[in-house]
Structure formats: C-alpha cells, structure tokens
Amino acid sequence: MMISKTSKFVAEMLGTMVLVFMGCGSAVIAGADGTTGVGLLGISFAFGLSVVAMAYAIGHISGCHINPAISIAMVAAGRMKADEAVRYIIAQILGGIIGSGILYIIFTGHPGAEMKPWALGSNGWGTGYLDQYNTLSAFVAEFVFTFIFLMVILGATSSKNINGGFAGLAIGFSLVLIHIVGIKVTGVSVNPARSIGPAVFAGGEALSQLWLFITAPVLGGIAAAFTYNSLIERPKKQA
C-alpha cells in the first residue's frame, strides 16, 4: 500500500509534537527546574517513552524519524532521498513548535509561571544553565550522543536485523540512556526540532545558543551514517 506524502508529513509533525510536549513537559510541569519532581530519571524516561510510543503509532507511516538529524543521517546513509528529507524536516520543526506552543499555553496558566532564561525545557549550556558546562563540553556531548543514537537507529532498523519488530524499544531506551547521562550538560537535544520549538518561545539565551543544537546533532548523525556504512554494514552496490 502506497503511503501519501501528506500522511508522512502529518505523521512526522504529530510525532515530533508529542515528543517535545511530553518530553519538555515532564521537566516543566512535573519538575519545575528539570531536576526536581519526577527527577532526572523521570524526565529521561519521558523522552524515551515518547519515542517508543510514536514508533509504534506512526512508524509504519513515516518511519518515525521525528528528528531532523535522523532524516539527514538517513540521506547520508543512502536510505532516504534528499527531497523527502526536506519535507520531513519541515514537518518536524513545525511539530516541535506546536508541541512547545501547547506547553507554553499550559505552563503560563499557572499562577506562579515565569518565563525565565531557557524556559520550557530549552537546551543550553554555560553560566546559569544547570551544571554550567562550557561550549566545548556541550558540543562534544551533543555530537557523541547523537552519534550513539544514530548507530542504534541504523542497526535497529537494518533489513538484516531479525529483531526489527523491537526497533522502537531499542531506539526509545537508547534515548533514555542518553538523557540519564546528558541532561545536566545540555538538557539533551540530539534533535534540532526538539531544540527549536522551546527556543522560539523562550527567546534570549535559548535562541542565541540554538546553533549548537542544530550543528552538533546533524554532524553527529552524518558521522554515524558514514561509520555504520563503512565499518559495520556496507550497503550493497547497485548492479
């Protein structure tokens, strides 16, 4: 059965909306400063379980990328055409903004709501952000975390993987693992759309630091694609 471009666009937009709303919402609503309430482990699971849920909800429609770094890496790995990736990325960014917008409406309805720097679960680094890691630490963390994330994705979704039905679980739980380690460094992006959404509403530092959360994940994803294809599972040459 052929799946339309519109269906894939809507699936990616809704999937990214859920990821951003639930993931960032766990930090903003369930833990006001991202470290209390449900705690770091709870926030980590909120992001990972969002991916698991969406993988089984829309994976059969669009593949459930819900992340521009994944779509770009899939192009680099030869698993996706560039024009389709562009449509996916637009949908993902819109979804991230919509998810953040919903969170903004809910959050600002609280009597004690205050849009502080890096509000709505925005990613960041440096003075005033969580454990105040420097720019190099933030860039290396986002690059390496995304590299690891994409290696899991590429392996879990390989046609040679006999456990492909469990790909959603492997991918989701790898994101949990990444968050457990990385929240205190950057809040964990590994996903430009996840960073763009909150930054649009938070402005200020979150918006000015957005470049890192676009550049590092994209480069990390591309590096994973080339590493996977070169050293682990070389794609078959076309006849």
Side-chain angles (χ1 to χ4, degrees):
M1 181 180 71
M2 291 292 294
I3 300 173
S4 70
K5 295 177 181 178
T6 300
S7 295
K8 292 181 179 180
F9 187 95
V10 172
E12 286 295 307
M13 183 173 66
L14 290 177
T16 312
M17 179 201 76
V18 170
L19 172 66
V20 173
F21 175 54
M22 293 298 185
C24 294
S26 69
V28 175
I29 297 173
D33 63 359
T35 60
T36 58
V38 296
L40 297 181
L41 192 58
I43 297 167
S44 299
F45 270 94
F47 276 101
L49 292 177
S50 295
V51 169
V52 172
M54 289 301 99
Y56 292 104
I58 65 169
H60 61 293
I61 302 296
S62 67
C64 189
H65 291 189
I66 60 176
N67 181 342
I70 294 175
S71 297
I72 292 171
M74 288 299 172
V75 173
R79 297 190 188 183
M80 188 179 201
K81 293 182 179 180
D83 60 338
E84 185 174 28
V86 170
R87 292 192 294 272
Y88 271 45
I89 291 168
I90 293 171
Q92 292 154 3
I93 292 173
L94 287 175
I97 293 172
I98 293 169
S100 297
I102 295 170
L103 182 57
Y104 174 81
I105 292 170
I106 294 172
F107 172 70
T108 53
H110 188 279
E114 182 183 354
M115 289 289 287
K116 298 179 180 179
W118 297 289
L120 300 183
S122 297
N123 297 115
W125 75 87
T127 303
Y129 190 87
L130 297 180
D131 273 10
Q132 307 189 82
Y133 284 86
N134 65 21
T135 306
L136 179 61
S137 293
F139 193 96
V140 170
E142 286 294 327
F143 180 95
V144 174
F145 288 148
T146 311
F147 179 90
I148 294 169
F149 191 37
L150 260 298
M151 291 295 284
V152 173
I153 291 169
L154 291 165
T157 59
S158 169
S159 59
K160 296 181 180 180
N161 191 333
I162 61 174
N163 298 309
F166 294 98
L169 288 173
I171 294 166
F173 277 102
S174 69
L175 190 60
V176 172
L177 178 62
I178 288 168
H179 275 79
I180 290 173
V181 178
I183 284 179
K184 285 296 193 77
V185 183
T186 62
V188 180
S189 172
V190 301
N191 182 342
R194 173 262 181 271
S195 299
I196 291 170
V200 166
F201 291 89
E205 292 91 338
L207 204 56
S208 68
Q209 293 181 340
L210 194 54
W211 64 270
L212 187 146
F213 301 107
I214 295 173
T215 306
V218 168
L219 292 177
I222 292 173
F226 282 109
T227 299
Y228 192 88
N229 277 2
S230 300
L231 302 178
I232 298 179
E233 184 182 332
R234 296 186 179 183
K236 293 181 179 179
K237 294 183 178 180
Q238 297 293 326

